[in-house]
Amino acid sequence: MKFKVIGAGLAGVEAAWQIAQKGYKVTLFEQKPNKKSPAHKSDNFAELVCSNSLKASRIDSAAGLLKEEMARLGSLTVPIARECAVAAGGALAVDRDVFSQQITNQIKSHPNIEMVYKEVENIEISDDEITIIATGPLTDGKMSEAIQKLCGNYLSFYDAAAPIVTAESVDMNIAFGASRYGRGGEDDYINCPFNKEEYEGFIDELVNAEGAVLHDFDVYEGCMPIEKLAKRGLDAPRFGPMKPVGLTDPRTGHRPWAAVQLRRENAKGTMFNIVGFQTNLKFGEQKRVFSMIPALRNAEFVRYGVMHRNSFLNSPKVLNKGFNLRKYPLVFFAGQITGVEGYMESAGSGILAGINAVRLAEHKEFLDLPQTTMLGALSEYISDETVKNFQPMGANFGILPPIEPKIKDKRLRYAALAERALDALEEVIK
């Protein structure tokens, strides 16, 4: 049986890695550097586009549990992410260039992985070849048409990326270093405080700023543009990405009215992204409005926020829990195109697709992870035919079965859910 993986993003490299590590030859197709989507800039694999954060690292968090499950399943991306982490409080954030470069090096040097740099425009179904399609949420052109022939129409939403500023252009006479609630080091985040008057003036300009696209978007809630969030109400950002809780402004000794957090973009700490400020504003408007943040009045923007179209399958109608098509079992999908939402969720789906592709070739039953695991719950969600109005789903404890007896303390409950998940995973993979 031959193996083919299309797309060298997070899901594709994980799928190819699983196949190769199990001793099989696999051909990995990647359209870069010959062609790039509007959101991609680097020639390297597994490029992080929207943010350099892979979310919480604590195992008693949904994102942290997901990464630990992936690591125990032989992930390529999780160990590399941990190696090239940058300070980010309780989150696992990476130097995105180093992260992608190290993954690229590992893939290129693996003796069982053959790289082919070309755009794949069709899907060949053969009895002697297993195909994993990991072309990402920006799939377009002939490949998009080929997928629609197999799977029917896509569902779509729009995703947005936050701006990045230089560290030296942040006014540290106003800003201060601290993590919320004292988690992490003082230099992990830079906080840009507002008083009430400054905040209300900023929000007024934000909601009236000119967007890059005129029509409204169906935007995934987790990537809501900051200007769209602000239109929900004056205090909406102050209870979202601009929440001041857990922070004390050293200039006043009190909690600020609101605060914008900046997170390290690279290991050297020369660039910071504006946390939660995904946006669809025109570049000139971003410069004008975001410079109203008191500590960013003289900010140098090295990248403005962008918005791009993401597509995903109506997976519950077409995919099995093992991430292969019900109608064409030798064709698998992985990544955000399946409706998992997030970097690590995408990579995790690639792991499962790669493992199950090998099991299919070996005439073995698929790896059926318990629903009590995060990966098992996600794979159950994307294949659950009872789901109505299917929308992308990221790791969260809400998709796990409740723990009994109920634990009232949230932190203790999450710790118990994580322990249960890892125990269940070990039973399956031992």
Side-chain angles (χ1 to χ4, degrees), residues 174-176 178 180 189-196 198-199 202-203 226 237-249 251 254-262 274-277 293-296:
I174 300 174
F176 59 95
R180 288 193 176 103
Y189 288 88
I190 293 176
N191 300 277
C192 306
F194 288 78
N195 60 35
K196 183 178 181 181
E198 291 166 340
Y199 174 80
F202 172 73
I203 296 299
I226 186 64
R238 203 164 68 89
F239 285 91
M242 296 178 70
K243 63 185 178 186
V245 294
L247 297 172
T248 300
D249 187 341
R251 296 180 304 164
H254 300 290
R255 186 175 74 181
W257 184 256
V260 168
Q261 284 200 310
L262 310 179
I274 309 178
V275 178
F277 268 56
I293 299 170
L296 299 184

Side-chain angles (χ1 to χ4, degrees), residues 158-173:
Y158 282 77
D159 200 2
I164 297 173
V165 299
T166 63
E168 63 182 5
S169 67
V170 180
D171 187 347
M172 294 305 297
N173 291 317

Side-chain angles (χ1 to χ4, degrees), residues 208-214 227 280-282 285:
N208 290 299
E210 187 176 0
V213 181
L214 296 179
E227 64 273 15
N280 185 45
L281 296 182
K282 288 186 173 181
E285 289 289 78

Side-chain angles (χ1 to χ4, degrees), residues 95-250:
D95 184 316
R96 71 176 79 200
D97 293 330
V98 176
F99 174 75
S100 296
Q101 185 64 65
Q102 288 193 20
I103 289 172
T104 303
N105 293 343
Q106 290 277 18
I107 292 293
K108 285 184 175 180
S109 62
H110 200 295
N112 287 338
I113 299 177
E114 177 190 5
M115 287 303 309
V116 176
Y117 297 96
K118 63 174 289 187
E119 180 182 6
V120 179
E121 297 183 336
N122 54 63
I123 302 168
E124 299 175 356
I125 299 176
S126 169
D127 291 339
D128 65 350
E129 183 174 67
I130 293 175
T131 300
I132 300 177
I133 301 169
T135 49
L138 303 180
T139 302
D140 62 3
K142 292 183 178 180
M143 175 53 75
S144 179
E145 294 173 4
I147 293 173
Q148 290 191 56
K149 287 180 181 178
L150 285 182
C151 306
N153 291 331
Y154 288 115
L155 302 175
S156 299
F157 66 109
Y158 282 77
D159 200 2
I164 297 173
V165 299
T166 63
E168 63 182 5
S169 67
V170 180
D171 187 347
M172 294 305 297
N173 291 317
I174 300 174
F176 59 95
S179 296
R180 288 193 176 103
Y181 306 107
R183 293 173 181 164
E186 289 187 0
D187 296 330
D188 290 3
Y189 288 88
I190 293 176
N191 300 277
C192 306
F194 288 78
N195 60 35
K196 183 178 181 181
E197 182 182 1
E198 291 166 340
Y199 174 80
E200 292 181 351
F202 172 73
I203 296 299
D204 182 61
E205 290 298 323
L206 181 61
V207 299
N208 290 299
E210 187 176 0
V213 181
L214 296 179
H215 65 273
D216 197 17
F217 292 103
D218 180 17
V219 184
Y220 176 67
E221 190 76 17
C223 288
M224 179 70 63
I226 186 64
E227 64 273 15
K228 187 165 185 175
L229 176 62
K231 290 177 181 178
R232 292 184 171 183
L234 177 62
D235 285 327
R238 203 164 68 89
F239 285 91
M242 296 178 70
K243 63 185 178 186
V245 294
L247 297 172
T248 300
D249 187 341

Side-chain angles (χ1 to χ4, degrees), residues 218-396:
D218 180 17
V219 184
Y220 176 67
E221 190 76 17
C223 288
M224 179 70 63
I226 186 64
E227 64 273 15
K228 187 165 185 175
L229 176 62
K231 290 177 181 178
R232 292 184 171 183
L234 177 62
D235 285 327
R238 203 164 68 89
F239 285 91
M242 296 178 70
K243 63 185 178 186
V245 294
L247 297 172
T248 300
D249 187 341
R251 296 180 304 164
T252 65
H254 300 290
R255 186 175 74 181
W257 184 256
V260 168
Q261 284 200 310
L262 310 179
R263 182 178 55 229
R264 282 178 184 242
E265 178 63 26
N266 59 356
K268 293 180 180 179
T270 58
M271 297 184 295
F272 281 74
N273 61 63
I274 309 178
V275 178
F277 268 56
Q278 301 90 348
T279 181
N280 185 45
L281 296 182
K282 288 186 173 181
F283 289 176
E285 289 289 78
Q286 291 184 45
K287 172 67 174 176
R288 180 182 70 83
V289 177
F290 296 157
S291 293
M292 292 180 66
I293 299 170
L296 299 184
R297 285 172 180 154
N298 298 308
E300 178 186 358
F301 291 82
V302 295
R303 186 192 74 187
Y304 288 108
V306 295
M307 182 167 245
H308 47 267
R309 181 181 187 272
N310 278 356
S311 298
F312 58 97
L313 301 175
N314 192 353
S315 293
K317 302 299 182 185
V318 296
L319 289 185
N320 290 313
K321 189 177 179 181
F323 287 90
N324 64 330
L325 289 174
R326 295 191 178 106
K327 189 174 181 180
Y328 303 99
L330 295 180
V331 178
F332 289 73
F333 282 83
Q336 286 195 63
I337 199 168
T338 67
V340 296
E341 200 288 318
Y343 288 142
M344 289 291 95
E345 289 86 345
S346 296
S349 71
I351 292 174
L352 293 181
I355 290 173
N356 287 325
V358 170
R359 287 183 172 235
L360 182 63
E362 296 176 343
H363 306 288
K364 296 179 180 178
E365 291 186 0
F366 281 177
L367 178 63
D368 187 11
L369 295 180
Q371 272 191 267
T372 53
T373 65
M374 193 60 67
L375 275 171
L378 284 170
S379 58
E380 180 72 24
Y381 174 78
I382 64 96
S383 61
D384 183 359
E385 293 183 82
T386 67
V387 172
K388 297 180 180 179
N389 301 317
F390 180 67
Q391 289 294 316
M393 179 67 69
N396 68 88

